[in-house]
Amino acid sequence: MSSKIPLLLIPGLLCTDELWRDQLQALSDVADMTVPKHDQHDAIEDIATDILKNAPDQFALAGLSMGGYIALEIILRAPERVSHLALMDTRADPDSPKDKKRRQDFINLVQRGSTFKGVTESLLPMLIHPDRFKDTALTSRIYKMAQDIGREGFIRQETAIMNRKDRKPELAQINCPTLVVSGNEDALIPAPLQEEMAQMIPDAEFHIIDNCGHLPTMERPMESNMLLREWLTW
């Protein structure tokens, strides 16, 4: 029997297992890792159901952005199965009416368009630190993930996100070792908002990664790997 910890790594919107590429390599000595698909349903609840159906009896769980929304659904539904929880650049509250309108407008635009590029140059400032805009090794990976998810997958993901539940009232129920990580310049979900979420989870640890935007596992893999490795030993 393997002594490694089963670890589920759930990607964000328009992200694939490429989001976790460096973690899949760096943590392979301590964790048996799986990256579930999360683009086949248009409801967070249905995505979580599929993941739980195929997951080990007990596992550690990490989610980034949309992956964090799914991770919260999983742990609040099946807390006895989650040994460790890591929430990275995510939030527990639902979309505001303004957020929902923005997502719906984006869906409408994608449905009308003849091509789907996913992440465009205009969206990169929301995803990565300004210093990385011209880092083609990084940006090409982001573009490729979005293309791999595709138009229909994106529409399902956005629909799931904008209809997610408010989980803030339930955060106090989480009782496993919990790590909350934020890029210090996350333009989508500001670090203070994530710190507030961490304070609502009993004994959660909050960490900020400097010179980092919304995608720390890709932007700052060494720092992310160190935090995740330590978290798995709690």
Side-chain angles (χ1 to χ4, degrees):
M1 179 180 296
S2 173
S3 60
K4 298 181 183 180
I5 299 173
L7 171 58
L8 303 188
L9 302 167
I10 309 180
L13 173 71
L14 286 175
C15 294
T16 66
D17 55 359
E18 182 67 15
L19 178 75
W20 303 101
R21 183 190 72 181
D22 294 283
Q23 292 68 51
L24 290 167
Q25 295 174 357
L27 303 176
S28 62
D29 60 320
V30 294
D32 281 324
M33 290 167 282
T34 304
V35 182
K37 288 185 70 65
H38 66 325
D39 61 350
Q40 301 302 301
H41 299 285
D42 61 4
I44 296 294
E45 294 85 353
D46 293 337
I47 299 169
T49 294
D50 269 4
I51 292 174
L52 281 166
K53 188 185 304 180
N54 297 293
D57 290 340
Q58 192 171 54
F59 52 89
L61 178 63
L64 188 150
S65 194
M66 178 187 182
Y69 310 151
I70 299 166
L72 285 172
E73 172 69 26
I74 289 172
I75 192 168
L76 291 170
R77 186 187 304 185
E80 74 284 353
R81 295 182 62 184
V82 180
S83 64
H84 298 69
L85 176 67
L87 301 170
M88 306 183 74
D89 293 82
T90 192
R91 61 196 304 172
D93 51 337
D95 272 3
S96 67
K98 182 179 178 181
D99 291 334
K100 287 187 177 183
K101 184 181 185 305
R102 176 176 53 83
R103 291 190 196 277
Q104 188 60 59
D105 288 345
F106 206 174
I107 288 172
N108 294 342
L109 182 65
V110 166
Q111 288 175 327
R112 290 195 302 267
S114 58
T115 61
F116 176 74
K117 295 183 178 180
V119 177
T120 64
E121 289 185 9
S122 63
L123 291 178
L124 277 179
M126 302 298 291
L127 296 177
I128 58 177
H129 191 277
D131 291 348
R132 307 299 293 277
F133 292 167
K134 295 183 179 180
D135 183 344
T136 56
L138 174 62
T139 58
S140 63
R141 293 171 62 198
I142 295 171
Y143 293 143
K144 178 64 164 54
M145 288 194 299
Q147 291 171 354
D148 287 346
I149 293 295
R151 182 198 309 268
E152 297 307 318
F154 167 75
I155 292 171
R156 286 190 290 267
Q157 288 182 336
E158 281 280 56
T159 302
I161 290 172
M162 68 182 182
N163 292 319
R164 72 188 187 276
K165 297 176 182 177
D166 184 1
R167 294 303 189 182
K168 288 178 71 173
E170 300 170 275
L171 293 177
Q173 299 175 22
I174 297 173
N175 60 10
C176 69
T178 301
L179 171 69
V180 179
V181 177
S182 172
N184 70 319
E185 293 198 33
D186 186 338
L188 280 175
I189 307 176
L193 191 65
Q194 299 181 59
E195 184 175 17
E196 178 186 359
M197 177 179 66
Q199 291 171 347
M200 297 179 181
I201 301 173
D203 300 321
E205 285 196 9
F206 176 67
H207 291 268
I208 288 182
I209 296 180
D210 291 333
N211 301 312
C212 185
H214 189 63
L215 303 176
T217 57
M218 299 179 76
E219 297 178 71
R220 298 294 173 193
M222 290 183 63
E223 293 91 333
S224 297
N225 296 344
M226 180 188 68
L227 289 171
L228 289 169
R229 179 178 288 274
E230 291 178 354
W231 159 72
L232 287 170
T233 66
W234 295 355

